[in-house]
Amino acid sequence: MAGLELLSDQGYRLDGRKATELRKVQARMGVFAQADGSAYLEQGNTKALAVVYGPHEMRGSRSRTLHDRALINCQYSMATFSTAERKRRPHGDRKSTEMSLHLKQTFEAAVMTQLYPRSQIDIYVKILQSDGGNYSTCVNAATLAVIDAGIPMRDYVCACTVGFVDETPLADLCYAEESGGVSSLALALLPRGGQIALLQMDARLHQDHLETLIEAAMTACKGVSKVLDEVVRQHLQEVSVLTGE
Amino acid sequence: MLKSKTFVKKTRSGGVMKIVREHYLRDDIWCGSEACTECKQESTVLQTDACMESSLCSYPHYLIPDTNVVLHQIDVLEDAVIRNVIILQTVLQEVRHRSAPVYKRLKDIIHEKEKHFYTFTNEHHRETFIEREPGESANDRNDRAIRVAAKWYSQHLKTSESDTDGLKVVLLTNDQGNKQKAEESGLLVYKFEEYIKSLTANPELVDRLALSNDDKNEITSSKVLFPEHLPLSRIQAGIKSGSFVQGTFRASRDNYLEATVFIQGEGEDGTEILIQGLQNLNRAVHQDVVAVQLLPRNQWVAPSSVVLQDEGAAKDDNVEEEEEEKALRISAAEAARKATGKVVGIIKRNWRPFCGMLNVSQIKESTRHLFTPADRRIPRIRIETRQASTLAGQRIMVSIDGWPKDSRYPNGHFVRSLGGAGEKDTEQEVLLLEHDVPHQAFSQAVLNFLPKMPWAITPEDMVRREDLRHLTVCSVDPPGCTDIDDALHCRELENGNLEVGVHIADVSHFIRPGNALDKEAANRGTTVYLCGKRIDMVPELLSSNLCSLRSNVERLAFSCIWEMNHEAEILKTRFTKSVINSKASLTYAEAQMRIDDTNKNDDITKSLRGLNKLAKILKRQRIEKGALTLSSLEVRFHMDSETHDPIDLQTKELMETNSMVEEFMLLANISVAQKIYDEFQECALLRKHPAPPPSNYDILLKAAKSKDVAIYTDTAKALADSLDVAKVDGFPYFNTLLRILATRCMMQAVYFCSGMDNDFHHYGLASPIYTHFTSPIRRYADIIVHRLLAVAIGADSTYPDLMDKHKQSALCNNLNYRHKMAQYAQRASVAFHTQLFFKSRGILNEEGFVLFVRKNAIIVLIPKFGLEGTVFFDSKDKVAPSIVFDEEGPTLTIQQHTFRIFDKVKVTISLDASNIQHQKIRMALTDPVIPGVSVPVPDAEPQAKKPKLDR
């Protein structure tokens, strides 16, 4: 018998969502006091923690110093307990290195690095629980952490994965969908200007479908941005109440 | 966008992995009922006045069947009477897991609008989702989910009812426990049988009920006739340890107590194990996958040569059988013994509905009857019906429900009646079913993908398409052809060269990859042409209208255009999607007349003459290269226009124009094959025709030698040349006969995927590469080739399956199978019509030639009818004359007369209708006269229909 039916005839997905619906996004900012900025974000069952240090002076090898802007240093890791089978190597493997690189590229496009020449911004992201869409959850969490750190950005960076099943784009894939042989695409968007910070896809997809898929991904990203915006405003309100302004 | 939803975690453990999944429960899943005012649904499926005349439920009601009801009683659910049914998601999913064919049928029903089947997504609904309780089995949970959903419906319909006409839901289940629990919670619940029996307006549905397990025990005595089947776990263990082997069960056609199990070996070859005796056969049915245990060597037996049919009244004890089995065990020579085994378990049943006829029980009041399938390899089936008297003499279909170990016969149920035996429509249906030709009307899901009428070419269609409407294109086909898939043109270019175009219907424009229409066409594989009937591969709107390149309408085409010089050398080849406007649809005869008529000089005629001239050169070149011209007698029936009975037979005539069209089709196929192979080395769909192994030619060589004619079979060219010169003085028909024999030596041409094979040669056409491009309306292979070619020239986009050589290879297997079955069905149809023809004609006396010589018979070909028949020299009731068979000749000497291949004989032909299920043509020898063997020449031919023939 065939595998899972990812999209039923009635238009429902495995977990009861419709094709364009996102998973529930919940987030908190400022979860750690010692870091300059931090955030915790859940996208369904995928949970990520992001911490930001900086901008600060270059550490380690000074040769990497950029004279016109800040260097962004990203490190992605997965907790050993984040997957169904215990992970042996939490970071430093090929996948994590690649992911770190992608995050770096994403945030180089979003953070106004030219304001901090010769300095460094560190972004550490850890996946605590993985259920598909790790990259996008990390980007979304890191955005909040960067905002929490007070580093100026051009816009929120919102990311979302979309898959393509039965001629229909599915937004925000969960693990079961991702592993079900779906061609998926991850997109990080600066929603206000509609600029794409990063687009990544390593599956086969026909060119004709690419446009609809990107379209769906952008709509999904805009959905995410609304939620993030709400979280930020909520957080600001709480902080201003505390500081008594 | 994201509504507030309760959010629960669903944990599923499988093995050691713990999988955590989210599950979003929704409050926006509607009930699908017309009567409901609460739900904000856009369209409704279930009707308000859901009336089925039932003595149990006098009010309008919806049905909710549980999984087992759907799985076992799909035959009944498919009936048009059953409407307004709610299929729960739980049920749908369970069905999907347990039976793919039933799932497909269920989905087809759901798609059908008139059936009013609604799928309720209860598992995602906030109020109907339930969690599995500790200690509850998955099945119990599903049963409970079904009850909860049914409960929800009954309450929902009650509250939302504004115009209270008492709409209710009825749960149908055969599970006693489930029924009881449902009753306790206040639901309306019936057993499926109970409910169907209560449908007063449709008593015939009762017969189609499948027997469920709890009411079969009364059928047979408590005596256990068969050993128990082993459970699957033990079978698997046994196969692993080597004590059992797995194989496909193949019942013997001639002996119901014997079968072989075919064990698939490496590649093509396999071994066979003999199974003998009812006990050892152990309820396996033809085509089942079974586990077999080998018997110790001293119990091995030889296949018997006795013909045994399971006949007579139902046997309830096995006394007679023992005698029959004894007859089998005549001690055979040690050498003849084969590996013998017994069936210990069934791995997979391969039951399908079987066609056949009812043997009405001798007891008048009995409702249990035996059913004899048309296929002799299938055992007789016991069914229960109240309409035995009406069904007697009809062809019916029956499904097997099960074969308990205490029953001599499998139990089944009546599916439907096909009509009276011997009637034309009925017999046609039977031969379609028996050859596994999908011939049902296209389902709504498929028809939904047809273009909407009125259809016209839009500017979007014209993108990447060339406008060739100005060309003088015409089509040449057999008379009465409505699915025209090719058209031709030829014109002189300014530089003196000729431009020749072959335009093929652009079917792939209408059939998009992966949709229901495409899947259906891929499954059917080919259009099947029977005498007087055509089973389409694609719906008629496409085959006879939108795709058919009729004259004076604009049609989309895929064109292959060559520039040639007057010596038919190809200078340039080009492929393009196009729009054409055919100027004329001609028949072969009409085209021939135009070419021959020197007074005509219009564009079409000039074009035809050009084509004809080139075709002759092409044909000559092809034959020089060693292409074979083989012969087989094809007959065409002249049908009576009113009764559609055959009134005359005619062998097909070939004209110059036939070969003209054929030449260009071959050329187009070869050009396209080369192009797609160049572009897609791994996944081009090609057609090959392997060279036959030398041993295949034995019969041909022997036959030729008997007439002192030498035939060389080293290469195709040698064969073609030696066939050309083979002549015997005073025997003009000899050459044709020889070609017929040569055709029998050939291998089957097959489709294959270029990435999976490395021998591409087409033996018969002497072409290094070949494919099918020119008939996409009637062959699915051509559609794939069209798609490949369209991608190659950038006119269309590709899709993953097209580039996957394994999927492509699987598709080829299906296409090859369908083509083979279509051919068999065609032959069977011709045979049946021949029978009809001879039925009306009585006994005929004809001249024929001996085609083959067998041990106890000769096979005679009657050229006048293209008919082949066997003349037996030994029969049950007569004393066998002295027969000497010499394999070397081969010759057969009966008393003083010796028969050789090609001998001219005279026979009488009559219809043997003694077995209504298997009518056949009987031939008997009249000349040469051999006492005791030949029959006297019948006095006069019956005159019944003679006047009609003279028209």
Side-chain angles (χ1 to χ4, degrees):
Chain A
M1 195 56 234
L4 296 164
E5 190 181 34
L6 294 176
L7 188 68
S8 75
D9 285 352
Q10 291 72 41
Y12 296 108
R13 290 157 66 176
L14 290 173
D15 52 8
R17 287 184 287 156
K18 291 202 168 174
T20 55
E21 286 172 348
L22 302 177
R23 290 178 289 179
K24 192 174 176 96
V25 181
Q26 281 175 313
R28 265 177 61 201
M29 294 168 69
V31 283
F32 299 122
Q34 277 149 326
D36 292 316
S38 59
Y40 169 76
L41 185 130
E42 283 181 11
Q43 213 162 331
N45 274 336
T46 308
K47 298 171 184 177
L49 202 54
V51 177
V52 172
Y53 290 96
H56 54 74
E57 273 186 25
M58 289 299 293
R59 284 188 200 137
S61 68
R62 302 219 160 234
S63 56
R64 292 195 301 159
T65 312
L66 301 169
H67 294 280
D68 53 343
R69 59 197 158 95
L71 174 87
I72 291 188
N73 173 37
C74 286
Q75 199 182 74
Y76 165 89
S77 61
M78 283 176 89
T80 50
F81 48 82
S82 62
T83 47
E85 261 177 87
R86 200 184 127 84
K87 235 180 136 60
R88 305 222 167 217
R89 201 172 168 190
H91 60 86
D93 57 340
R94 273 179 76 115
K95 262 198 168 160
S96 308
T97 318
E98 191 193 359
M99 194 71 98
S100 303
L101 196 70
H102 286 155
L103 285 173
K104 181 180 148 114
Q105 286 167 345
T106 314
F107 281 92
E108 271 171 357
V111 175
M112 303 178 81
T113 46
Q114 73 279 14
L115 297 178
Y116 308 103
R118 276 185 271 271
S119 44
Q120 178 180 349
I121 298 168
D122 296 319
I123 303 174
Y124 298 106
V125 204
K126 195 166 189 94
I127 291 285
L128 299 179
Q129 186 174 320
S130 160
D131 186 27
N134 289 353
Y135 167 77
S136 37
T137 314
C138 285
V139 170
N140 297 335
T143 306
L144 292 181
V146 171
I147 293 171
D148 189 40
I151 301 171
M153 289 210 288
R154 293 188 175 81
D155 193 358
Y156 292 95
V157 212
C158 305
C160 199
T161 49
V162 276
F164 196 69
V165 171
D166 294 343
E167 310 280 302
T168 329
L170 304 184
D172 198 7
L173 302 181
C174 69
Y175 178 73
E177 289 168 332
E178 257 182 5
S179 53
V182 180
S183 318
S184 70
L185 170 152
L187 180 107
L189 186 78
L190 304 180
R192 232 170 312 164
Q195 292 145 311
I196 293 173
L198 185 114
L199 188 144
Q200 186 231 344
M201 183 172 76
D202 38 20
R204 262 184 191 226
L205 181 83
H206 195 269
Q207 183 185 341
D208 292 4
H209 303 310
L210 187 64
E211 208 161 316
T212 46
L213 205 56
I214 291 181
E215 201 71 39
M218 285 168 93
T219 330
C221 286
K222 282 175 189 160
V224 174
S225 93
K226 258 187 229 158
V227 183
L228 295 189
D229 192 54
E230 231 164 81
V231 172
V232 172
R233 283 173 202 281
Q234 181 79 28
H235 179 69
L236 277 179
Q237 233 163 23
E238 280 166 16
V239 171
S240 52
V241 168
L242 282 178
T243 51
E245 280 170 27
Chain B
M1 191 179 73
L2 240 167
K3 283 200 181 145
S4 74
K5 269 169 251 160
T6 351
F7 162 61
V8 292
K9 274 183 201 165
K10 200 169 114 187
T11 319
R12 205 191 69 175
S13 334
V16 268
M17 287 276 276
K18 183 177 170 194
I19 297 163
V20 182
R21 276 196 203 149
E22 289 179 285
H23 194 168
Y24 291 86
L25 298 182
R26 318 180 63 102
D27 50 12
D28 61 347
I29 296 174
W30 316 125
C31 68
S33 166
E34 225 170 45
C36 180
T37 48
E38 222 172 62
C39 292
K40 301 175 204 65
Q41 48 213 350
E42 278 156 17
S43 60
T44 54
V45 177
L46 302 164
Q47 298 166 298
T48 312
D49 50 340
C51 264
M52 272 180 280
E53 273 180 54
S54 164
S55 56
L56 282 173
C57 325
S58 50
Y59 33 79
H61 55 277
Y62 300 147
L63 297 175
I64 304 185
D66 78 352
T67 314
N68 280 319
V69 167
V70 173
L71 278 175
H72 299 305
Q73 311 288 6
I74 188 84
D75 284 335
V76 182
L77 290 176
E78 267 175 351
D79 194 279
V81 176
I82 308 285
R83 276 178 290 147
N84 292 300
V85 176
I86 299 163
I87 301 293
L88 299 177
Q89 187 196 6
T90 319
V91 174
L92 195 64
Q93 274 172 354
E94 265 194 290
V95 169
R96 182 168 182 268
H97 280 295
R98 290 180 44 193
S99 165
V102 175
Y103 180 68
K104 188 184 172 290
R105 285 164 78 181
L106 185 60
K107 277 185 89 160
D108 280 345
I109 304 177
I110 292 170
H111 275 294
E112 204 149 321
K113 285 208 173 59
E114 291 77 50
K115 292 281 285 168
H116 299 283
F117 271 51
Y118 178 68
T119 322
F120 181 63
T121 317
N122 64 320
E123 296 284 359
H124 297 323
H125 194 285
R126 180 149 57 174
E127 285 160 55
T128 55
F129 171 75
I130 54 159
E131 261 186 284
R132 192 162 145 189
E133 279 165 2
E136 194 177 32
S137 78
N139 272 334
D140 288 343
R141 189 216 85 99
N142 285 342
D143 283 345
R144 191 157 61 88
I146 293 167
R147 290 198 301 273
V148 168
K151 187 89 192 154
W152 178 85
Y153 253 102
S154 60
Q155 269 158 8
H156 178 78
L157 290 175
K158 219 179 276 170
T159 52
S160 70
E161 206 69 55
S162 46
D163 48 340
T164 48
D165 48 358
L167 204 53
K168 287 186 179 150
V169 290
V170 175
L171 182 65
L172 297 176
T173 177
N174 284 340
D175 183 336
Q176 208 57 48
N178 192 12
K179 188 178 173 213
Q180 205 174 352
K181 281 185 190 145
E183 270 163 356
E184 279 163 18
S185 60
L187 283 168
L188 273 169
V189 54
Y190 296 112
K191 283 181 83 173
F192 194 72
E193 283 81 5
E194 240 177 357
Y195 179 79
I196 293 299
K197 280 176 190 158
S198 79
L199 292 178
T200 41
N202 303 81
E204 75 281 357
L205 278 182
V206 177
D207 286 350
R208 297 171 59 175
L209 286 171
L211 295 174
S212 53
N213 291 340
D214 49 330
D215 51 54
K216 70 175 178 222
N217 39 17
E218 41 180 318
I219 292 176
T220 47
S221 54
S222 54
K223 197 170 170 185
V224 175
L225 292 171
F226 295 103
E228 187 94 59
H229 286 153
L230 295 179
L232 205 57
S233 54
R234 281 192 56 197
I235 293 176
Q236 274 160 350
I239 290 174
K240 221 172 204 176
S241 69
S243 51
F244 303 152
V245 280
Q246 174 180 343
T248 316
F249 186 87
R250 291 179 181 171
S252 156
R253 214 180 269 278
D254 301 320
N255 187 336
Y256 77 100
L257 291 173
E258 200 173 274
T260 53
V261 170
F262 180 78
I263 316 289
Q264 184 74 46
E266 292 291 307
E268 293 289 292
D269 50 280
T271 47
E272 281 189 339
I273 295 177
L274 187 70
I275 315 269
Q276 223 174 47
L278 269 189
Q279 293 275 321
N280 292 341
L281 295 173
N282 199 0
R283 294 170 282 158
V285 177
H286 184 63
Q287 287 295 334
D288 285 349
V289 180
V290 295
V292 176
Q293 185 177 25
L294 275 177
L295 294 173
R297 200 169 265 272
N298 57 3
Q299 289 180 32
W300 285 13
V301 291
S304 74
S305 49
V306 192
V307 175
L308 268 184
Q309 302 280 354
D310 191 8
E311 281 166 335
K315 297 163 189 163
D316 283 328
D317 41 42
N318 47 2
V319 182
E320 295 159 67
E321 244 108 43
E322 275 164 14
E323 273 165 28
E324 283 180 357
E325 283 186 30
K326 248 180 238 160
L328 285 177
R329 303 224 176 84
I330 314 157
S331 59
E334 198 66 34
R337 293 191 179 182
K338 284 173 101 181
T340 310
K342 62 174 183 188
V343 174
V344 290
I346 309 280
I347 295 164
K348 188 172 170 281
R349 287 288 192 190
N350 238 335
W351 291 340
R352 60 187 170 92
F354 301 105
C355 300
M357 290 182 73
L358 202 64
N359 301 31
V360 179
S361 167
Q362 279 113 331
I363 307 160
K364 223 179 183 182
E365 290 76 28
S366 174
T367 56
R368 300 207 177 94
H369 305 275
L370 272 184
F371 162 85
T372 312
D375 189 339
R376 290 206 201 96
R377 292 168 298 191
I378 307 295
R380 294 198 284 173
I381 304 165
R382 193 195 315 264
I383 65 167
E384 200 176 330
T385 177
R386 277 175 193 75
Q387 22 176 357
S389 47
T390 31
L391 293 182
Q394 286 190 356
R395 292 269 194 178
I396 59 172
M397 276 180 88
V398 162
S399 278
I400 304 186
D401 296 328
W403 198 341
K405 63 173 183 282
D406 50 3
S407 162
R408 168 68 177 79
Y409 299 106
N411 295 322
H413 67 273
F414 166 69
V415 178
R416 66 195 173 99
S417 165
L418 304 170
E423 277 169 31
K424 234 175 63 199
D425 293 345
T426 315
E427 296 302 324
Q428 213 149 46
E429 178 102 14
V430 170
L431 71 91
L432 288 174
L433 286 165
E434 286 301 307
H435 290 97
D436 195 15
V437 175
H439 62 285
Q440 302 81 7
F442 289 96
S443 72
Q444 196 54 45
V446 170
L447 296 177
N448 284 344
F449 285 99
L450 290 179
K452 300 281 164 288
M453 293 302 280
W455 175 87
I457 296 170
T458 61
E460 291 91 77
D461 293 341
M462 291 303 294
V463 180
R464 295 191 261 194
R465 212 172 261 284
E466 212 170 305
D467 191 348
L468 300 178
R469 279 175 281 201
H470 56 278
L471 293 177
T472 315
V473 174
C474 65
S475 61
V476 185
D477 285 284
C481 176
T482 58
D483 49 348
I484 306 173
D485 39 23
D486 50 80
L488 297 155
H489 88 268
C490 171
R491 63 171 179 176
E492 197 147 338
L493 295 174
E494 279 162 14
N495 59 10
N497 288 335
L498 291 170
E499 182 193 78
V500 178
V502 166
H503 311 274
I504 307 297
D506 191 4
V507 181
S508 62
H509 174 85
F510 297 98
I511 301 184
R512 303 310 300 168
N515 66 25
L517 177 57
D518 181 48
K519 281 182 189 148
E520 181 71 29
N523 179 40
R524 294 190 179 213
T526 174
T527 294
V528 182
Y529 294 87
L530 304 181
C531 299
K533 191 174 168 139
R534 190 177 81 198
I535 316 296
D536 278 324
M537 180 182 81
V538 296
E540 198 178 354
L541 178 69
L542 290 182
S543 65
S544 306
N545 187 354
L546 296 185
C547 288
S548 180
L549 303 176
R550 297 186 294 183
S551 54
N552 300 320
V553 280
E554 291 179 358
R555 286 287 176 253
L556 302 179
F558 208 142
S559 302
C560 174
I561 299 168
W562 301 278
E563 190 177 326
M564 290 185 181
N565 60 18
H566 287 267
E567 277 70 53
E569 279 168 41
I570 298 172
L571 305 171
K572 231 190 265 171
T573 309
R574 164 169 95 84
F575 306 98
T576 178
K577 289 225 172 185
S578 61
V579 183
I580 61 161
N581 189 344
S582 170
K583 301 291 180 288
S585 314
L586 307 173
T587 63
Y588 290 122
E590 280 169 4
Q592 190 66 52
M593 260 150 60
R594 272 175 187 259
I595 292 172
D596 297 341
D597 187 350
T598 42
N599 297 329
K600 283 215 166 176
N601 265 319
D602 52 303
D603 280 353
I604 297 174
T605 312
K606 270 195 248 167
S607 170
L608 285 172
R609 285 198 190 118
L611 290 167
N612 199 24
K613 198 185 80 187
L614 290 173
K616 281 183 187 160
I617 306 175
L618 285 171
K619 185 167 187 183
R620 204 187 61 227
Q621 287 173 351
R622 204 162 56 82
I623 288 173
E624 272 167 17
K625 266 194 266 167
L628 295 173
T629 334
L630 298 173
S631 177
S632 62
L633 282 178
E634 273 191 80
V635 284
R636 171 180 285 266
F637 288 94
H638 279 232
M639 297 288 194
D640 189 301
S641 54
E642 278 143 41
T643 60
H644 296 286
D645 283 335
I647 49 176
D648 199 4
L649 275 158
Q650 194 182 45
T651 45
K652 273 184 190 164
E653 248 183 281
L654 288 180
M655 272 177 277
E656 226 175 34
T657 41
N658 287 59
S659 105
M660 172 186 95
V661 173
E662 193 192 337
E663 276 321 309
F664 284 104
M665 295 306 133
L666 292 177
L667 192 63
N669 285 338
I670 293 170
S671 293
V672 170
Q674 194 58 52
K675 173 80 181 172
I676 59 171
Y677 179 64
D678 288 347
E679 202 77 20
F680 307 103
Q681 309 258 309
E682 282 292 291
C683 57
L685 191 156
L686 302 174
R687 189 169 172 83
K688 69 170 173 183
H689 183 204
S695 61
N696 275 25
Y697 286 122
D698 283 356
I699 186 83
L700 177 70
L701 294 178
K702 275 182 194 168
K705 217 169 92 191
S706 68
K707 293 279 173 199
D708 290 327
V709 173
I711 296 286
Y712 304 99
T713 58
D714 316 342
T715 61
K717 172 126 180 76
L719 178 64
D721 291 345
S722 54
L723 279 177
D724 282 343
V725 296
K727 278 190 184 74
V728 170
D729 288 333
F731 192 1
Y733 205 65
F734 174 72
N735 193 272
T736 317
L737 281 175
L738 211 54
R739 283 182 200 274
I740 292 173
L741 277 182
T743 314
R744 305 279 163 94
C745 304
M746 294 298 150
M747 305 280 284
Q748 272 283 328
V750 288
Y751 296 110
F752 68 103
C753 172
S754 62
M756 306 291 278
D757 207 329
N758 41 28
D759 172 29
F760 296 176
H761 195 75
H762 197 293
Y763 182 77
L765 296 171
S767 168
I769 191 164
Y770 192 68
T771 192
H772 271 165
F773 168 74
T774 51
S775 302
I777 299 179
R778 59 186 179 86
R779 290 189 303 234
Y780 190 75
D782 301 51
I783 295 184
I784 293 290
V785 170
H786 273 228
R787 287 181 186 156
L788 286 166
L789 185 65
V791 175
I793 61 166
D796 205 344
S797 57
T798 168
Y799 57 99
D801 283 5
L802 192 65
M803 295 295 136
D804 185 330
K805 64 176 177 181
H806 296 284
K807 288 213 173 114
Q808 186 117 190
S809 187
L811 178 72
C812 287
N813 289 342
N814 179 48
L815 293 180
N816 289 330
Y817 169 73
R818 291 292 185 206
H819 275 272
K820 197 172 72 195
M821 287 329 250
Q823 232 168 36
Y824 291 162
Q826 239 152 300
R827 272 183 223 159
S829 173
V830 170
F832 173 68
H833 278 81
T834 317
Q835 286 165 16
L836 276 188
F837 178 74
F838 284 108
K839 196 174 175 182
S840 62
R841 217 41 60 82
I843 297 167
L844 288 183
N845 196 13
E846 286 297 340
E847 205 166 79
F849 298 98
V850 177
L851 203 55
F852 294 106
V853 177
R854 297 260 187 266
K855 248 183 199 152
N856 59 350
I858 52 173
I859 293 166
V860 178
L861 177 84
I862 315 286
K864 186 175 169 192
F865 302 123
L867 176 75
E868 238 173 78
T870 313
V871 178
F872 286 101
F873 294 120
D874 55 346
S875 53
K876 281 180 211 161
D877 41 337
K878 263 191 283 182
V879 189
S882 67
I883 299 177
V884 182
F885 178 68
D886 176 14
E887 212 167 316
E888 276 315 296
T891 58
L892 186 67
T893 312
I894 296 167
Q895 289 169 357
Q896 279 78 44
H897 190 86
T898 305
F899 288 98
R900 287 191 181 81
I901 293 187
F902 302 130
D903 279 357
K904 195 185 251 186
V905 290
K906 276 189 183 150
V907 290
T908 60
I909 308 165
S910 61
L911 183 70
D912 177 5
S914 55
N915 181 348
I916 187 124
Q917 285 219 50
H918 302 280
Q919 298 194 354
K920 53 184 179 240
I921 299 287
R922 168 172 290 175
M923 284 191 186
L925 201 63
T926 55
D927 181 62
V929 179
I930 304 171
V933 176
S934 59
V935 294
V937 181
D939 310 333
E941 289 182 19
Q943 299 295 310
K945 287 210 170 175
K946 205 71 185 171
K948 227 174 180 179
L949 267 176
D950 298 334
R951 300 193 291 200

